[in-house]
Amino acid sequence: MDLEDGGGSPWGDVPTQSQSSPGQSKNTENENPSETQAKTTPAELSNPSTSGLKSPSGRGSRTPIRRVHAQPKKLEALDDSLGPLGPLGDNAPSTQFDQPPAPPQKEQTVTHNFRQPATSAQSSMSQSMMSSVDLGDEERPSGPRIPPPVQPPQGGATRRDTQPSVSIEQAAKPSFDITVGDPHKVGDLTSSHIVYQVHTKTSSKAYRQPEFTVTRRYRDFLWLYNSLHSNNPGVVIPPPPEKQAVGRFDNSFVESRRMALEKMLNKTAAHPTLQHDGDLKIFLESEAFNLDVKHKERKEPGLGESKGMFAGLGLSVGGGGKFVEQDDWFHERRVYLDALENQLKVLLKSMDTVVSQRKGLAEAAGDFSTSLHSLSMVELSPSLSGPLESLSDLQIRIRELYERQAQQDVLTLGITIDEYIRIIGSIKQAFEQRQKAFHSWHAAESEMQKRKATQDKLLRQGKTQQDRLNQLNADVVDAERKVHQARLLFEDMGRLMRSELERFEREKVEDFKSGVETFLESAVEAQKELIELWETFLMQLDADDDDQPYFKPPVVPLPSEGNSDAQRWSGETKVEEAASATAEQEE
């Protein structure tokens, strides 16, 4: 066999590596192209990077297709680590290129192919439609398209109102409008009492409905006052009117009590602390009031005796010794309140005197009217009986005016004076609660000192009574906690009472100013009405002189008694007839 043409051993084996050379291997490779094709094709079929497959987009491979025919190559030195001919068979590597082909990117390729027109006809048709649209494919980065941001609609016609239904200030301080009306008597002779309709309008979200009505009696208002006083130590609670055993069903008394209860509820609901109290909610909203009160008393026993706050802290509420005020501000306020209470009581007594005088004037006017009416019924001249009867009617109207004015005096200025006398009493109860807090503080300090003294005594005796010493240590810690709580309660009540007294001064000025103005306006209106009544009566008297307002019977001749020839004119009395006869005789 010719070794130069075959390029291999005549026995088909591999030559010895020590006798091979690079030049011989290259010649052999160039001289046997068919053998190279047979050995390279299976490797190419198994390697997709060197195969002739198309890309997913339908285009040809970006790398040049490897040709199977022989090509002239430059002979280069190869790595002889695996033999003179290198790895053969399936292990033969594919031809290496300068840059490997980039793997196909499906999303980018599809997007690019979708945007690229397929034919020139479609390009000409869509060029006119999309000429004004700048897709910006050249400047956009690779990746999915991001939709443009949605712009808000122009103009305020379709703008949604994002304001909350209730403002923060209104939610923190709700409004209340409470009216107490329709007082009527219920019950039999032994259990008769007056009930009232309490109608409430509120913006508070703590209530089920914004408007509701319940029925309450006087003792229910007393329960509300005592409960608020127990739940809020140091707060000035608007008190209800006092009880009255005699005349409690009189119209004037029922009306004055109704107005006092209405003012009490409105002031309580306007207070920033009391308006959030749970007992007020029960009073205003509960339809089964008695059952709710009994359930609350069973759930919280012992809190209805003005000891709720102190009992909750585990403090004693004993009276202690005599309280000596250490704060000059509170001492001055206490003296001022005592003087103000005395002055208001004197003013209320004077007001009652004025009301009594007005009622006396009304009774006198009624008696005067009765006398005038009796006088007008006597057989006198019609020219006199008519004015007397008109004056009697005038006195009746004057009596009604005096009674109405007396009632207005009670409901305007009198009820304000009485209210602030009761408020001063409520302030004094707040002072008493502060005194109880002071005594509780000092009682807790005394107890703490006793426990500390016992603890020191045990410490000096040694460690023979360790269990008792541990118990005393725990008792001392508990006593210190109670002292701290009692001191904080006393200080908090002091600050709260300062703000409450300042609120009392502001409301006192406003209420008395409004009460005095209403009192003066009602007095002026009453005097104007009285003047108008008298002026109308005088106009009627002036018209009487012109013979217009009163009816006079027609004058006709009547037969005289005892003498048929003599005549007497109608409308004449016997006195007038005798006077006319005497005048005729003198003539």
Side-chain angles (χ1 to χ4, degrees), residues 174-178 180 198 200-202 204 206-207 212 214 216 220-221 223-229 231-232 237-238 261-287 289 292-293 296:
S175 61
F176 288 85
D177 183 13
I178 304 175
V180 179
V198 181
T200 306
K201 294 181 181 179
T202 179
S204 176
Y207 294 83
F212 41 87
V214 293
R216 297 290 181 264
D220 300 335
F221 290 87
W223 174 88
L224 176 63
Y225 172 74
N226 294 327
S227 299
L228 294 176
H229 186 75
N231 299 337
N232 304 274
I237 312 297
L261 294 175
E262 182 175 306
K263 294 187 70 174
M264 168 198 169
L265 291 181
N266 281 285
K267 281 198 170 185
T268 302
H271 196 281
T273 302
L274 301 179
Q275 64 182 196
H276 302 291
D277 195 278
D279 291 335
L280 177 64
K281 183 176 183 296
I282 293 176
F283 179 86
L284 294 178
E285 192 179 36
S286 175
E287 296 180 356
F289 179 73
D292 292 340
V293 169
K296 182 178 182 298

Short mmCIF file of all heavy atoms in Angstrom, two decimals, residues 174-178 180 198 200-202 204 206-207 212 214 216 220-221 223-229 231-232 237-238 261-287 289 292-293 296:
data_model
loop_
_atom_site.label_atom_id
_atom_site.label_comp_id
_atom_site.label_asym_id
_atom_site.label_seq_id
_atom_site.Cartn_x
_atom_site.Cartn_y
_atom_site.Cartn_z
N PRO A 174 -68.07 65.71 69.87
CA PRO A 174 -69.38 65.65 69.21
C PRO A 174 -70.34 66.69 69.78
O PRO A 174 -70.17 67.20 70.89
CB PRO A 174 -69.86 64.23 69.50
CG PRO A 174 -69.16 63.85 70.76
CD PRO A 174 -67.82 64.54 70.71
N SER A 175 -71.36 66.98 69.01
CA SER A 175 -72.37 67.97 69.42
C SER A 175 -73.61 67.23 69.93
O SER A 175 -73.95 66.14 69.46
CB SER A 175 -72.73 68.86 68.24
OG SER A 175 -73.29 68.10 67.18
N PHE A 176 -74.29 67.87 70.89
CA PHE A 176 -75.51 67.33 71.47
C PHE A 176 -76.56 68.44 71.53
O PHE A 176 -76.23 69.58 71.86
CB PHE A 176 -75.27 66.79 72.88
CG PHE A 176 -74.49 65.51 72.94
CD1 PHE A 176 -73.10 65.52 72.93
CD2 PHE A 176 -75.13 64.29 73.00
CE1 PHE A 176 -72.38 64.34 72.97
CE2 PHE A 176 -74.43 63.11 73.05
CZ PHE A 176 -73.05 63.13 73.04
N ASP A 177 -77.77 68.08 71.20
CA ASP A 177 -78.92 68.98 71.33
C ASP A 177 -80.02 68.19 72.03
O ASP A 177 -80.66 67.32 71.43
CB ASP A 177 -79.38 69.49 69.97
CG ASP A 177 -80.53 70.48 70.09
OD1 ASP A 177 -80.78 70.95 71.23
OD2 ASP A 177 -81.17 70.79 69.07
N ILE A 178 -80.23 68.47 73.32
CA ILE A 178 -81.14 67.69 74.15
C ILE A 178 -82.29 68.59 74.59
O ILE A 178 -82.06 69.70 75.07
CB ILE A 178 -80.42 67.11 75.37
CG1 ILE A 178 -79.20 66.28 74.93
CG2 ILE A 178 -81.36 66.25 76.21
CD1 ILE A 178 -78.36 65.78 76.07
N VAL A 180 -85.98 68.48 76.88
CA VAL A 180 -86.84 67.78 77.84
C VAL A 180 -88.22 68.40 77.74
O VAL A 180 -88.37 69.61 77.99
CB VAL A 180 -86.28 67.89 79.27
CG1 VAL A 180 -87.20 67.18 80.25
CG2 VAL A 180 -84.88 67.31 79.34
N VAL A 198 -87.30 62.83 76.85
CA VAL A 198 -85.94 63.33 76.61
C VAL A 198 -85.58 63.02 75.17
O VAL A 198 -85.38 61.85 74.79
CB VAL A 198 -84.93 62.69 77.59
CG1 VAL A 198 -83.53 63.24 77.33
CG2 VAL A 198 -85.34 62.94 79.03
N THR A 200 -82.98 63.57 72.00
CA THR A 200 -81.55 63.85 71.80
C THR A 200 -81.21 63.81 70.32
O THR A 200 -81.62 62.90 69.60
CB THR A 200 -80.68 62.81 72.55
OG1 THR A 200 -81.07 62.78 73.92
CG2 THR A 200 -79.21 63.16 72.45
N LYS A 201 -80.46 64.81 69.88
CA LYS A 201 -79.83 64.83 68.56
C LYS A 201 -78.32 64.98 68.76
O LYS A 201 -77.87 65.91 69.43
CB LYS A 201 -80.34 66.01 67.72
CG LYS A 201 -81.81 65.93 67.35
CD LYS A 201 -82.21 67.14 66.50
CE LYS A 201 -83.68 67.09 66.13
NZ LYS A 201 -84.07 68.27 65.32
N THR A 202 -77.56 64.06 68.18
CA THR A 202 -76.12 64.07 68.41
C THR A 202 -75.38 63.64 67.15
O THR A 202 -75.92 62.93 66.30
CB THR A 202 -75.76 63.11 69.57
OG1 THR A 202 -74.35 63.12 69.76
CG2 THR A 202 -76.22 61.70 69.28
N SER A 204 -72.36 62.16 67.67
CA SER A 204 -71.43 61.18 68.22
C SER A 204 -71.68 59.81 67.59
O SER A 204 -72.82 59.37 67.46
CB SER A 204 -71.58 61.10 69.74
OG SER A 204 -70.75 60.08 70.27
N ALA A 206 -70.78 57.08 68.98
CA ALA A 206 -70.94 56.09 70.05
C ALA A 206 -72.38 55.68 70.24
O ALA A 206 -72.64 54.67 70.92
CB ALA A 206 -70.37 56.65 71.37
N TYR A 207 -73.32 56.41 69.67
CA TYR A 207 -74.73 56.10 69.81
C TYR A 207 -75.23 55.38 68.56
O TYR A 207 -74.71 55.59 67.46
CB TYR A 207 -75.54 57.37 70.06
CG TYR A 207 -75.22 58.03 71.39
CD1 TYR A 207 -74.13 58.87 71.53
CD2 TYR A 207 -76.01 57.80 72.51
CE1 TYR A 207 -73.82 59.45 72.75
CE2 TYR A 207 -75.72 58.38 73.73
CZ TYR A 207 -74.62 59.21 73.84
OH TYR A 207 -74.33 59.79 75.05
N PHE A 212 -82.96 60.19 68.87
CA PHE A 212 -83.75 59.21 69.60
C PHE A 212 -84.44 59.90 70.76
O PHE A 212 -84.06 61.00 71.18
CB PHE A 212 -82.87 58.06 70.10
CG PHE A 212 -81.54 58.50 70.65
CD1 PHE A 212 -81.39 58.88 71.97
CD2 PHE A 212 -80.43 58.55 69.83
CE1 PHE A 212 -80.18 59.30 72.47
CE2 PHE A 212 -79.20 58.97 70.31
CZ PHE A 212 -79.08 59.35 71.64
N VAL A 214 -86.43 59.03 74.68
CA VAL A 214 -86.70 58.10 75.78
C VAL A 214 -87.55 58.82 76.82
O VAL A 214 -87.71 60.05 76.79
CB VAL A 214 -85.39 57.58 76.42
CG1 VAL A 214 -84.62 56.70 75.46
CG2 VAL A 214 -84.53 58.73 76.91
N ARG A 216 -88.12 59.51 80.93
CA ARG A 216 -87.43 59.49 82.21
C ARG A 216 -88.26 60.24 83.26
O ARG A 216 -89.05 61.13 82.93
CB ARG A 216 -86.05 60.14 82.10
CG ARG A 216 -85.09 59.42 81.16
CD ARG A 216 -84.64 58.09 81.72
NE ARG A 216 -83.71 57.42 80.83
CZ ARG A 216 -84.04 56.50 79.95
NH1 ARG A 216 -85.32 56.14 79.83
NH2 ARG A 216 -83.14 55.93 79.19
N ASP A 220 -84.55 59.35 87.93
CA ASP A 220 -83.55 58.92 86.95
C ASP A 220 -82.49 60.01 86.76
O ASP A 220 -81.30 59.69 86.58
CB ASP A 220 -84.23 58.60 85.62
CG ASP A 220 -85.25 57.48 85.75
OD1 ASP A 220 -85.11 56.67 86.68
OD2 ASP A 220 -86.20 57.44 84.93
N PHE A 221 -82.90 61.26 86.81
CA PHE A 221 -81.93 62.35 86.73
C PHE A 221 -81.03 62.36 87.97
O PHE A 221 -79.83 62.65 87.85
CB PHE A 221 -82.66 63.69 86.60
CG PHE A 221 -83.33 63.89 85.27
CD1 PHE A 221 -84.62 63.42 85.05
CD2 PHE A 221 -82.69 64.55 84.24
CE1 PHE A 221 -85.26 63.60 83.84
CE2 PHE A 221 -83.32 64.74 83.02
CZ PHE A 221 -84.61 64.26 82.83
N TRP A 223 -80.15 59.69 89.65
CA TRP A 223 -79.20 58.59 89.46
C TRP A 223 -78.05 59.01 88.55
O TRP A 223 -76.89 58.66 88.80
CB TRP A 223 -79.94 57.39 88.85
CG TRP A 223 -79.01 56.27 88.48
CD1 TRP A 223 -78.59 55.25 89.28
CD2 TRP A 223 -78.38 56.07 87.21
NE1 TRP A 223 -77.73 54.44 88.58
CE2 TRP A 223 -77.58 54.91 87.31
CE3 TRP A 223 -78.40 56.77 86.00
CZ2 TRP A 223 -76.82 54.43 86.25
CZ3 TRP A 223 -77.64 56.30 84.95
CH2 TRP A 223 -76.86 55.14 85.07
N LEU A 224 -78.37 59.72 87.48
CA LEU A 224 -77.33 60.17 86.56
C LEU A 224 -76.34 61.09 87.27
O LEU A 224 -75.12 60.96 87.11
CB LEU A 224 -77.96 60.89 85.37
CG LEU A 224 -76.99 61.51 84.36
CD1 LEU A 224 -76.14 60.43 83.71
CD2 LEU A 224 -77.74 62.32 83.31
N TYR A 225 -76.84 62.01 88.09
CA TYR A 225 -75.95 62.94 88.80
C TYR A 225 -75.03 62.19 89.76
O TYR A 225 -73.81 62.43 89.79
CB TYR A 225 -76.79 63.96 89.55
CG TYR A 225 -75.97 64.85 90.47
CD1 TYR A 225 -75.16 65.85 89.97
CD2 TYR A 225 -76.01 64.66 91.85
CE1 TYR A 225 -74.42 66.66 90.80
CE2 TYR A 225 -75.27 65.46 92.69
CZ TYR A 225 -74.47 66.46 92.16
OH TYR A 225 -73.72 67.24 93.00
N ASN A 226 -75.57 61.26 90.53
CA ASN A 226 -74.75 60.52 91.49
C ASN A 226 -73.72 59.63 90.78
O ASN A 226 -72.58 59.50 91.24
CB ASN A 226 -75.64 59.68 92.40
CG ASN A 226 -76.52 60.52 93.29
OD1 ASN A 226 -76.13 61.61 93.72
ND2 ASN A 226 -77.73 60.04 93.58
N SER A 227 -74.12 59.04 89.66
CA SER A 227 -73.19 58.18 88.93
C SER A 227 -72.05 58.99 88.33
O SER A 227 -70.88 58.58 88.40
CB SER A 227 -73.94 57.43 87.83
OG SER A 227 -74.95 56.61 88.37
N LEU A 228 -72.37 60.13 87.73
CA LEU A 228 -71.31 60.97 87.17
C LEU A 228 -70.39 61.51 88.26
O LEU A 228 -69.17 61.61 88.06
CB LEU A 228 -71.93 62.13 86.39
CG LEU A 228 -72.72 61.77 85.13
CD1 LEU A 228 -73.34 63.01 84.52
CD2 LEU A 228 -71.82 61.08 84.12
N HIS A 229 -70.96 61.84 89.40
CA HIS A 229 -70.16 62.32 90.52
C HIS A 229 -69.21 61.24 91.03
O HIS A 229 -68.07 61.52 91.42
CB HIS A 229 -71.07 62.80 91.64
CG HIS A 229 -70.36 63.46 92.78
ND1 HIS A 229 -69.85 64.73 92.70
CD2 HIS A 229 -70.05 63.01 94.02
CE1 HIS A 229 -69.26 65.05 93.85
NE2 HIS A 229 -69.37 64.02 94.66
N ASN A 231 -68.08 58.60 89.17
CA ASN A 231 -67.14 58.18 88.12
C ASN A 231 -66.09 59.23 87.81
O ASN A 231 -65.03 58.87 87.26
CB ASN A 231 -67.91 57.86 86.83
CG ASN A 231 -68.89 56.73 87.02
OD1 ASN A 231 -68.74 55.91 87.91
ND2 ASN A 231 -69.91 56.68 86.16
N ASN A 232 -66.34 60.48 88.14
CA ASN A 232 -65.44 61.57 87.74
C ASN A 232 -65.11 62.44 88.94
O ASN A 232 -65.66 63.55 89.09
CB ASN A 232 -66.08 62.42 86.63
CG ASN A 232 -66.48 61.59 85.43
OD1 ASN A 232 -65.69 61.34 84.54
ND2 ASN A 232 -67.74 61.15 85.41
N ILE A 237 -70.07 68.52 88.43
CA ILE A 237 -71.21 67.91 87.74
C ILE A 237 -72.40 68.86 87.82
O ILE A 237 -72.78 69.31 88.91
CB ILE A 237 -71.58 66.56 88.39
CG1 ILE A 237 -70.33 65.70 88.58
CG2 ILE A 237 -72.62 65.84 87.55
CD1 ILE A 237 -69.64 65.32 87.32
N PRO A 238 -73.03 69.19 86.70
CA PRO A 238 -74.25 70.02 86.76
C PRO A 238 -75.35 69.28 87.52
O PRO A 238 -75.75 68.18 87.13
CB PRO A 238 -74.62 70.22 85.29
CG PRO A 238 -73.35 69.99 84.53
CD PRO A 238 -72.59 68.96 85.31
N LEU A 261 -83.97 70.71 84.32
CA LEU A 261 -83.46 69.41 83.88
C LEU A 261 -82.88 69.48 82.48
O LEU A 261 -81.87 68.83 82.18
CB LEU A 261 -84.59 68.38 83.93
CG LEU A 261 -85.14 68.04 85.33
CD1 LEU A 261 -86.33 67.10 85.21
CD2 LEU A 261 -84.06 67.43 86.20
N GLU A 262 -83.49 70.26 81.62
CA GLU A 262 -82.97 70.41 80.27
C GLU A 262 -81.61 71.09 80.27
O GLU A 262 -80.68 70.66 79.54
CB GLU A 262 -83.96 71.20 79.42
CG GLU A 262 -83.56 71.38 77.97
CD GLU A 262 -84.65 72.06 77.17
OE1 GLU A 262 -85.79 71.55 77.19
OE2 GLU A 262 -84.37 73.10 76.54
N LYS A 263 -81.45 72.14 81.08
CA LYS A 263 -80.15 72.80 81.17
C LYS A 263 -79.10 71.88 81.78
O LYS A 263 -77.93 71.90 81.38
CB LYS A 263 -80.27 74.08 82.00
CG LYS A 263 -81.14 75.15 81.37
CD LYS A 263 -81.10 76.45 82.13
CE LYS A 263 -79.76 77.12 82.00
NZ LYS A 263 -79.74 78.46 82.63
N MET A 264 -79.49 71.06 82.73
CA MET A 264 -78.55 70.11 83.33
C MET A 264 -78.01 69.13 82.28
O MET A 264 -76.79 68.91 82.18
CB MET A 264 -79.25 69.35 84.45
CG MET A 264 -78.50 68.14 84.96
SD MET A 264 -79.54 66.99 85.86
CE MET A 264 -78.45 65.58 86.01
N LEU A 265 -78.90 68.56 81.46
CA LEU A 265 -78.46 67.58 80.46
C LEU A 265 -77.60 68.22 79.39
O LEU A 265 -76.59 67.64 78.95
CB LEU A 265 -79.67 66.91 79.83
CG LEU A 265 -80.48 65.96 80.73
CD1 LEU A 265 -81.62 65.35 79.96
CD2 LEU A 265 -79.59 64.88 81.31
N ASN A 266 -77.96 69.40 78.94
CA ASN A 266 -77.17 70.06 77.89
C ASN A 266 -75.78 70.46 78.39
O ASN A 266 -74.79 70.33 77.66
CB ASN A 266 -77.91 71.29 77.37
CG ASN A 266 -79.02 70.93 76.39
OD1 ASN A 266 -78.76 70.59 75.25
ND2 ASN A 266 -80.25 71.00 76.84
N LYS A 267 -75.68 70.91 79.64
CA LYS A 267 -74.37 71.23 80.19
C LYS A 267 -73.53 69.98 80.40
O LYS A 267 -72.31 69.99 80.18
CB LYS A 267 -74.52 71.99 81.51
CG LYS A 267 -74.86 73.44 81.34
CD LYS A 267 -74.58 74.23 82.60
CE LYS A 267 -74.69 75.72 82.33
NZ LYS A 267 -74.31 76.52 83.50
N THR A 268 -74.17 68.90 80.80
CA THR A 268 -73.44 67.65 80.98
C THR A 268 -72.93 67.13 79.65
O THR A 268 -71.77 66.69 79.54
CB THR A 268 -74.35 66.60 81.64
OG1 THR A 268 -74.81 67.11 82.89
CG2 THR A 268 -73.60 65.31 81.87
N ALA A 269 -73.76 67.17 78.61
CA ALA A 269 -73.34 66.67 77.30
C ALA A 269 -72.32 67.58 76.64
O ALA A 269 -71.55 67.12 75.78
CB ALA A 269 -74.56 66.53 76.39
N ALA A 270 -72.27 68.87 77.02
CA ALA A 270 -71.29 69.79 76.45
C ALA A 270 -69.94 69.70 77.15
O ALA A 270 -68.95 70.25 76.65
CB ALA A 270 -71.82 71.22 76.50
N HIS A 271 -69.86 69.02 78.29
CA HIS A 271 -68.60 68.91 79.02
C HIS A 271 -67.67 67.96 78.29
O HIS A 271 -68.07 66.86 77.88
CB HIS A 271 -68.86 68.42 80.44
CG HIS A 271 -67.73 68.63 81.38
ND1 HIS A 271 -66.62 67.79 81.40
CD2 HIS A 271 -67.50 69.58 82.32
CE1 HIS A 271 -65.77 68.22 82.33
NE2 HIS A 271 -66.28 69.29 82.89
N PRO A 272 -66.40 68.31 78.08
CA PRO A 272 -65.49 67.45 77.30
C PRO A 272 -65.21 66.11 77.95
O PRO A 272 -64.84 65.16 77.25
CB PRO A 272 -64.22 68.30 77.18
CG PRO A 272 -64.29 69.28 78.30
CD PRO A 272 -65.74 69.56 78.52
N THR A 273 -65.37 65.98 79.26
CA THR A 273 -65.13 64.71 79.94
C THR A 273 -66.41 63.93 80.15
O THR A 273 -66.46 62.71 79.91
CB THR A 273 -64.45 64.96 81.30
OG1 THR A 273 -63.21 65.67 81.09
CG2 THR A 273 -64.15 63.66 82.01
N LEU A 274 -67.46 64.61 80.57
CA LEU A 274 -68.70 63.91 80.90
C LEU A 274 -69.43 63.40 79.68
O LEU A 274 -70.21 62.44 79.78
CB LEU A 274 -69.62 64.85 81.69
CG LEU A 274 -69.07 65.40 83.01
CD1 LEU A 274 -70.08 66.34 83.66
CD2 LEU A 274 -68.71 64.27 83.97
N GLN A 275 -69.23 64.00 78.51
CA GLN A 275 -69.96 63.57 77.33
C GLN A 275 -69.55 62.17 76.86
O GLN A 275 -70.26 61.54 76.09
CB GLN A 275 -69.77 64.57 76.18
CG GLN A 275 -68.35 64.68 75.69
CD GLN A 275 -68.19 65.71 74.60
OE1 GLN A 275 -67.19 65.75 73.88
NE2 GLN A 275 -69.18 66.58 74.44
N HIS A 276 -68.39 61.67 77.33
CA HIS A 276 -67.94 60.33 76.97
C HIS A 276 -68.23 59.31 78.07
O HIS A 276 -67.77 58.17 77.96
CB HIS A 276 -66.45 60.34 76.66
CG HIS A 276 -66.06 61.28 75.55
ND1 HIS A 276 -66.41 61.05 74.24
CD2 HIS A 276 -65.37 62.46 75.57
CE1 HIS A 276 -65.96 62.05 73.48
NE2 HIS A 276 -65.32 62.90 74.26
N ASP A 277 -68.93 59.69 79.12
CA ASP A 277 -69.21 58.77 80.21
C ASP A 277 -70.26 57.74 79.77
O ASP A 277 -71.23 58.07 79.09
CB ASP A 277 -69.71 59.54 81.43
CG ASP A 277 -69.67 58.70 82.69
OD1 ASP A 277 -70.62 57.92 82.90
OD2 ASP A 277 -68.71 58.83 83.46
N GLY A 278 -70.06 56.49 80.20
CA GLY A 278 -70.97 55.43 79.81
C GLY A 278 -72.35 55.56 80.44
O GLY A 278 -73.35 55.17 79.84
N ASP A 279 -72.41 56.12 81.67
CA ASP A 279 -73.71 56.28 82.32
C ASP A 279 -74.58 57.31 81.61
O ASP A 279 -75.81 57.18 81.58
CB ASP A 279 -73.52 56.67 83.78
CG ASP A 279 -72.92 55.54 84.60
OD1 ASP A 279 -73.10 54.38 84.20
OD2 ASP A 279 -72.27 55.81 85.62
N LEU A 280 -73.97 58.34 81.06
CA LEU A 280 -74.74 59.31 80.28
C LEU A 280 -75.32 58.65 79.03
O LEU A 280 -76.47 58.92 78.65
CB LEU A 280 -73.86 60.49 79.89
CG LEU A 280 -74.51 61.56 79.01
CD1 LEU A 280 -75.66 62.24 79.74
CD2 LEU A 280 -73.49 62.61 78.56
N LYS A 281 -74.57 57.76 78.41
CA LYS A 281 -75.07 57.04 77.23
C LYS A 281 -76.25 56.15 77.61
O LYS A 281 -77.24 56.07 76.87
CB LYS A 281 -73.94 56.20 76.62
CG LYS A 281 -74.32 55.47 75.35
CD LYS A 281 -73.11 54.75 74.79
CE LYS A 281 -73.47 54.05 73.47
NZ LYS A 281 -74.47 53.00 73.65
N ILE A 282 -76.15 55.49 78.76
CA ILE A 282 -77.27 54.65 79.21
C ILE A 282 -78.51 55.51 79.47
O ILE A 282 -79.63 55.15 79.09
CB ILE A 282 -76.87 53.87 80.47
CG1 ILE A 282 -75.78 52.84 80.14
CG2 ILE A 282 -78.07 53.19 81.09
CD1 ILE A 282 -75.26 52.10 81.35
N PHE A 283 -78.32 56.66 80.09
CA PHE A 283 -79.45 57.53 80.42
C PHE A 283 -80.13 58.05 79.16
O PHE A 283 -81.37 58.10 79.08
CB PHE A 283 -78.98 58.69 81.29
CG PHE A 283 -80.06 59.65 81.66
CD1 PHE A 283 -80.87 59.43 82.76
CD2 PHE A 283 -80.29 60.80 80.90
CE1 PHE A 283 -81.88 60.32 83.10
CE2 PHE A 283 -81.29 61.69 81.22
CZ PHE A 283 -82.08 61.45 82.32
N LEU A 284 -79.36 58.47 78.18
CA LEU A 284 -79.93 59.11 77.00
C LEU A 284 -80.49 58.11 76.00
O LEU A 284 -81.42 58.45 75.25
CB LEU A 284 -78.87 59.97 76.30
CG LEU A 284 -78.37 61.20 77.05
CD1 LEU A 284 -77.29 61.90 76.25
CD2 LEU A 284 -79.51 62.16 77.36
N GLU A 285 -79.98 56.88 75.98
CA GLU A 285 -80.28 55.97 74.88
C GLU A 285 -81.06 54.73 75.29
O GLU A 285 -81.80 54.18 74.47
CB GLU A 285 -78.97 55.55 74.21
CG GLU A 285 -79.13 54.83 72.90
CD GLU A 285 -77.79 54.47 72.29
OE1 GLU A 285 -76.86 54.13 73.06
OE2 GLU A 285 -77.66 54.52 71.07
N SER A 286 -80.90 54.28 76.53
CA SER A 286 -81.47 52.99 76.92
C SER A 286 -82.99 53.05 76.93
O SER A 286 -83.59 53.96 77.52
CB SER A 286 -80.94 52.58 78.30
OG SER A 286 -81.56 51.40 78.73
N GLU A 287 -83.62 52.07 76.28
CA GLU A 287 -85.07 51.96 76.31
C GLU A 287 -85.54 51.11 77.48
O GLU A 287 -86.70 51.20 77.87
CB GLU A 287 -85.56 51.37 74.98
CG GLU A 287 -85.26 52.28 73.79
CD GLU A 287 -85.77 51.68 72.49
OE1 GLU A 287 -86.26 50.53 72.54
OE2 GLU A 287 -85.66 52.34 71.44
N PHE A 289 -84.30 51.21 80.77
CA PHE A 289 -83.38 51.90 81.66
C PHE A 289 -83.24 51.21 83.01
O PHE A 289 -82.12 51.01 83.51
CB PHE A 289 -83.86 53.36 81.85
CG PHE A 289 -83.00 54.17 82.76
CD1 PHE A 289 -81.75 54.61 82.36
CD2 PHE A 289 -83.43 54.50 84.04
CE1 PHE A 289 -80.96 55.36 83.19
CE2 PHE A 289 -82.64 55.25 84.88
CZ PHE A 289 -81.40 55.68 84.46
N ASP A 292 -81.13 48.03 82.73
CA ASP A 292 -79.71 48.32 82.50
C ASP A 292 -79.04 48.82 83.77
O ASP A 292 -77.88 48.49 84.04
CB ASP A 292 -79.57 49.35 81.38
CG ASP A 292 -79.98 48.78 80.04
OD1 ASP A 292 -79.99 47.54 79.91
OD2 ASP A 292 -80.31 49.57 79.12
N VAL A 293 -79.74 49.62 84.55
CA VAL A 293 -79.16 50.12 85.80
C VAL A 293 -78.94 48.98 86.79
O VAL A 293 -77.88 48.89 87.44
CB VAL A 293 -80.07 51.21 86.40
CG1 VAL A 293 -79.63 51.56 87.81
CG2 VAL A 293 -80.05 52.45 85.52
N LYS A 296 -75.97 46.94 85.68
CA LYS A 296 -74.72 47.64 85.94
C LYS A 296 -74.36 47.59 87.43
O LYS A 296 -73.19 47.42 87.80
CB LYS A 296 -74.83 49.10 85.49
CG LYS A 296 -73.57 49.91 85.69
CD LYS A 296 -73.75 51.32 85.18
CE LYS A 296 -72.45 52.11 85.34
NZ LYS A 296 -72.07 52.23 86.76
#
